[in-house]
Short mmCIF file of all heavy atoms in Angstrom, two decimals:
data_model
loop_
_atom_site.label_atom_id
_atom_site.label_comp_id
_atom_site.label_asym_id
_atom_site.label_seq_id
_atom_site.Cartn_x
_atom_site.Cartn_y
_atom_site.Cartn_z
N ALA H 366 0.72 -0.59 23.84
CA ALA H 366 -0.20 -1.67 23.46
C ALA H 366 -1.48 -1.61 24.29
O ALA H 366 -1.43 -1.66 25.52
CB ALA H 366 0.48 -3.02 23.62
N ILE H 367 -2.61 -1.52 23.60
CA ILE H 367 -3.92 -1.48 24.24
C ILE H 367 -4.72 -2.67 23.73
O ILE H 367 -5.17 -2.69 22.58
CB ILE H 367 -4.65 -0.16 23.92
CG1 ILE H 367 -3.85 1.03 24.46
CG2 ILE H 367 -6.06 -0.16 24.50
CD1 ILE H 367 -4.40 2.39 24.08
N GLY H 368 -4.85 -3.70 24.55
CA GLY H 368 -5.55 -4.91 24.14
C GLY H 368 -7.06 -4.75 24.22
O GLY H 368 -7.58 -3.74 24.70
N PRO H 369 -7.79 -5.77 23.78
CA PRO H 369 -9.26 -5.66 23.65
C PRO H 369 -10.01 -5.85 24.96
O PRO H 369 -11.23 -5.66 24.99
CB PRO H 369 -9.60 -6.79 22.67
CG PRO H 369 -8.54 -7.82 22.91
CD PRO H 369 -7.28 -7.05 23.22
N THR H 370 -9.33 -6.20 26.03
CA THR H 370 -9.88 -6.67 27.31
C THR H 370 -10.47 -8.07 27.10
O THR H 370 -10.58 -8.55 25.98
CB THR H 370 -10.94 -5.74 27.97
OG1 THR H 370 -12.22 -5.97 27.39
CG2 THR H 370 -10.54 -4.29 27.86
N ASN H 371 -10.87 -8.69 28.17
CA ASN H 371 -11.43 -10.03 28.10
C ASN H 371 -12.96 -10.01 28.15
O ASN H 371 -13.60 -11.02 28.46
CB ASN H 371 -10.87 -10.91 29.23
CG ASN H 371 -10.99 -10.22 30.58
OD1 ASN H 371 -11.44 -9.09 30.69
ND2 ASN H 371 -10.57 -10.92 31.62
N ARG H 372 -13.54 -8.88 27.84
CA ARG H 372 -15.00 -8.75 27.80
C ARG H 372 -15.40 -7.98 26.54
O ARG H 372 -14.65 -7.13 26.07
CB ARG H 372 -15.52 -8.02 29.04
CG ARG H 372 -15.15 -8.73 30.34
CD ARG H 372 -15.71 -8.05 31.55
NE ARG H 372 -15.12 -8.55 32.78
CZ ARG H 372 -15.40 -8.09 33.99
NH1 ARG H 372 -16.27 -7.09 34.12
NH2 ARG H 372 -14.83 -8.60 35.06
N THR H 373 -16.57 -8.28 26.04
CA THR H 373 -17.03 -7.65 24.82
C THR H 373 -18.34 -6.89 25.05
O THR H 373 -19.25 -7.39 25.72
CB THR H 373 -17.23 -8.68 23.69
OG1 THR H 373 -17.94 -8.09 22.62
CG2 THR H 373 -17.97 -9.91 24.16
N ALA H 374 -18.41 -5.69 24.50
CA ALA H 374 -19.59 -4.84 24.67
C ALA H 374 -20.70 -5.18 23.69
O ALA H 374 -21.83 -4.73 23.85
CB ALA H 374 -19.20 -3.38 24.52
N SER H 375 -20.39 -5.96 22.65
CA SER H 375 -21.37 -6.24 21.60
C SER H 375 -22.05 -7.60 21.73
O SER H 375 -23.11 -7.81 21.15
CB SER H 375 -20.70 -6.18 20.22
OG SER H 375 -20.28 -4.87 19.92
N LEU H 376 -21.44 -8.52 22.45
CA LEU H 376 -21.94 -9.88 22.49
C LEU H 376 -22.20 -10.32 23.92
O LEU H 376 -21.52 -9.90 24.86
CB LEU H 376 -20.93 -10.83 21.84
CG LEU H 376 -20.55 -10.54 20.38
CD1 LEU H 376 -19.38 -11.42 19.98
CD2 LEU H 376 -21.73 -10.75 19.48
N SER H 377 -23.16 -11.20 24.07
CA SER H 377 -23.45 -11.77 25.38
C SER H 377 -22.59 -12.99 25.63
O SER H 377 -22.46 -13.86 24.76
CB SER H 377 -24.93 -12.17 25.46
OG SER H 377 -25.18 -12.87 26.66
N PRO H 378 -22.02 -13.12 26.83
CA PRO H 378 -21.28 -14.34 27.17
C PRO H 378 -22.21 -15.47 27.59
O PRO H 378 -21.75 -16.59 27.84
CB PRO H 378 -20.41 -13.88 28.34
CG PRO H 378 -21.21 -12.80 29.00
CD PRO H 378 -21.96 -12.11 27.89
N ASP H 379 -23.50 -15.20 27.66
CA ASP H 379 -24.50 -16.18 28.11
C ASP H 379 -25.42 -16.54 26.94
O ASP H 379 -26.23 -15.72 26.50
CB ASP H 379 -25.31 -15.60 29.27
CG ASP H 379 -26.28 -16.60 29.88
OD1 ASP H 379 -26.44 -17.70 29.30
OD2 ASP H 379 -26.91 -16.27 30.90
N VAL H 380 -25.30 -17.75 26.42
CA VAL H 380 -26.12 -18.16 25.27
C VAL H 380 -27.60 -18.17 25.62
O VAL H 380 -28.46 -18.10 24.72
CB VAL H 380 -25.69 -19.55 24.76
CG1 VAL H 380 -24.28 -19.50 24.20
CG2 VAL H 380 -25.81 -20.61 25.85
N ASN H 381 -27.93 -18.25 26.88
CA ASN H 381 -29.34 -18.27 27.30
C ASN H 381 -29.91 -16.88 27.51
O ASN H 381 -31.11 -16.73 27.76
CB ASN H 381 -29.48 -19.08 28.59
CG ASN H 381 -29.08 -20.53 28.40
OD1 ASN H 381 -29.52 -21.17 27.45
ND2 ASN H 381 -28.25 -21.05 29.30
N ASP H 382 -29.05 -15.85 27.41
CA ASP H 382 -29.51 -14.47 27.61
C ASP H 382 -28.80 -13.56 26.61
O ASP H 382 -27.83 -12.88 26.95
CB ASP H 382 -29.22 -14.03 29.05
CG ASP H 382 -29.81 -12.66 29.37
OD1 ASP H 382 -30.45 -12.06 28.48
OD2 ASP H 382 -29.60 -12.18 30.51
N PRO H 383 -29.26 -13.53 25.36
CA PRO H 383 -28.57 -12.77 24.31
C PRO H 383 -28.47 -11.27 24.58
O PRO H 383 -27.60 -10.60 24.03
CB PRO H 383 -29.42 -13.03 23.06
CG PRO H 383 -30.19 -14.29 23.37
CD PRO H 383 -30.42 -14.26 24.85
N GLY H 384 -29.33 -10.75 25.41
CA GLY H 384 -29.31 -9.32 25.69
C GLY H 384 -28.34 -8.92 26.80
O GLY H 384 -28.09 -7.72 27.00
N TYR H 385 -27.78 -9.90 27.49
CA TYR H 385 -26.87 -9.60 28.60
C TYR H 385 -25.50 -9.15 28.09
O TYR H 385 -25.00 -9.65 27.08
CB TYR H 385 -26.70 -10.84 29.48
CG TYR H 385 -25.65 -10.67 30.55
CD1 TYR H 385 -25.86 -9.84 31.65
CD2 TYR H 385 -24.43 -11.34 30.45
CE1 TYR H 385 -24.89 -9.69 32.63
CE2 TYR H 385 -23.45 -11.19 31.42
CZ TYR H 385 -23.69 -10.36 32.50
OH TYR H 385 -22.71 -10.20 33.45
N ARG H 386 -24.90 -8.18 28.79
CA ARG H 386 -23.54 -7.74 28.48
C ARG H 386 -22.71 -7.76 29.77
O ARG H 386 -23.17 -7.29 30.82
CB ARG H 386 -23.53 -6.33 27.90
CG ARG H 386 -24.24 -6.18 26.55
CD ARG H 386 -23.52 -6.93 25.45
NE ARG H 386 -24.18 -6.76 24.16
CZ ARG H 386 -25.12 -7.58 23.69
NH1 ARG H 386 -25.52 -8.62 24.42
NH2 ARG H 386 -25.67 -7.36 22.52
N ALA H 387 -21.50 -8.27 29.69
CA ALA H 387 -20.62 -8.34 30.86
C ALA H 387 -19.93 -7.01 31.12
O ALA H 387 -19.29 -6.83 32.16
CB ALA H 387 -19.58 -9.44 30.67
N ILE H 388 -20.02 -6.08 30.18
CA ILE H 388 -19.36 -4.79 30.28
C ILE H 388 -20.17 -3.79 29.47
O ILE H 388 -20.86 -4.17 28.52
CB ILE H 388 -17.91 -4.86 29.75
CG1 ILE H 388 -17.06 -3.68 30.20
CG2 ILE H 388 -17.87 -5.02 28.24
CD1 ILE H 388 -16.55 -3.80 31.60
N ASN H 389 -20.11 -2.50 29.85
CA ASN H 389 -20.77 -1.50 29.02
C ASN H 389 -19.75 -0.47 28.52
O ASN H 389 -18.59 -0.47 28.95
CB ASN H 389 -21.94 -0.83 29.76
CG ASN H 389 -21.51 -0.04 30.99
OD1 ASN H 389 -20.52 0.68 30.97
ND2 ASN H 389 -22.27 -0.17 32.08
N PHE H 390 -20.20 0.39 27.65
CA PHE H 390 -19.31 1.34 26.99
C PHE H 390 -18.61 2.25 27.99
O PHE H 390 -17.39 2.46 27.92
CB PHE H 390 -20.12 2.18 25.99
CG PHE H 390 -19.30 3.06 25.10
CD1 PHE H 390 -18.76 2.57 23.92
CD2 PHE H 390 -19.06 4.39 25.42
CE1 PHE H 390 -18.00 3.38 23.08
CE2 PHE H 390 -18.30 5.20 24.60
CZ PHE H 390 -17.77 4.70 23.42
N ASP H 391 -19.35 2.77 28.95
CA ASP H 391 -18.77 3.70 29.92
C ASP H 391 -17.71 3.04 30.78
O ASP H 391 -16.69 3.66 31.13
CB ASP H 391 -19.86 4.30 30.81
CG ASP H 391 -20.77 5.27 30.06
OD1 ASP H 391 -20.36 5.74 28.98
OD2 ASP H 391 -21.88 5.55 30.55
N GLN H 392 -17.94 1.78 31.15
CA GLN H 392 -16.93 1.06 31.94
C GLN H 392 -15.65 0.85 31.13
O GLN H 392 -14.55 0.97 31.67
CB GLN H 392 -17.51 -0.29 32.38
CG GLN H 392 -18.61 -0.19 33.43
CD GLN H 392 -19.30 -1.52 33.67
OE1 GLN H 392 -19.57 -2.28 32.72
NE2 GLN H 392 -19.58 -1.83 34.92
N LEU H 393 -15.81 0.56 29.87
CA LEU H 393 -14.63 0.39 29.00
C LEU H 393 -13.88 1.71 28.86
O LEU H 393 -12.65 1.74 28.94
CB LEU H 393 -15.07 -0.10 27.61
CG LEU H 393 -15.46 -1.57 27.52
CD1 LEU H 393 -16.19 -1.86 26.22
CD2 LEU H 393 -14.22 -2.47 27.63
N VAL H 394 -14.60 2.80 28.68
CA VAL H 394 -13.96 4.11 28.54
C VAL H 394 -13.16 4.45 29.79
O VAL H 394 -12.02 4.92 29.72
CB VAL H 394 -15.00 5.21 28.26
CG1 VAL H 394 -14.37 6.60 28.37
CG2 VAL H 394 -15.62 5.03 26.88
N GLU H 395 -13.73 4.18 30.96
CA GLU H 395 -13.03 4.47 32.21
C GLU H 395 -11.73 3.67 32.33
O GLU H 395 -10.67 4.21 32.69
CB GLU H 395 -13.94 4.14 33.40
CG GLU H 395 -13.32 4.45 34.75
CD GLU H 395 -14.25 4.13 35.92
OE1 GLU H 395 -15.39 3.69 35.68
OE2 GLU H 395 -13.83 4.34 37.08
N ALA H 396 -11.80 2.38 31.98
CA ALA H 396 -10.61 1.53 32.07
C ALA H 396 -9.57 1.94 31.04
O ALA H 396 -8.37 2.01 31.35
CB ALA H 396 -11.01 0.07 31.87
N TYR H 397 -10.00 2.19 29.84
CA TYR H 397 -9.05 2.59 28.79
C TYR H 397 -8.42 3.94 29.10
O TYR H 397 -7.24 4.17 28.80
CB TYR H 397 -9.75 2.64 27.44
CG TYR H 397 -9.93 1.30 26.78
CD1 TYR H 397 -11.18 0.92 26.26
CD2 TYR H 397 -8.88 0.39 26.64
CE1 TYR H 397 -11.35 -0.30 25.63
CE2 TYR H 397 -9.05 -0.83 26.02
CZ TYR H 397 -10.28 -1.17 25.51
OH TYR H 397 -10.45 -2.38 24.88
#
Side-chain angles (χ1 to χ4, degrees):
I367 299 174
T370 82
N371 50 358
R372 301 183 193 178
T373 168
S375 293
L376 302 171
S377 173
D379 185 352
V380 295
N381 298 311
D382 186 1
Y385 172 71
R386 296 293 181 269
I388 197 79
N389 63 43
F390 189 86
D391 290 342
Q392 290 171 319
L393 285 166
V394 169
E395 182 179 359
Y397 281 131

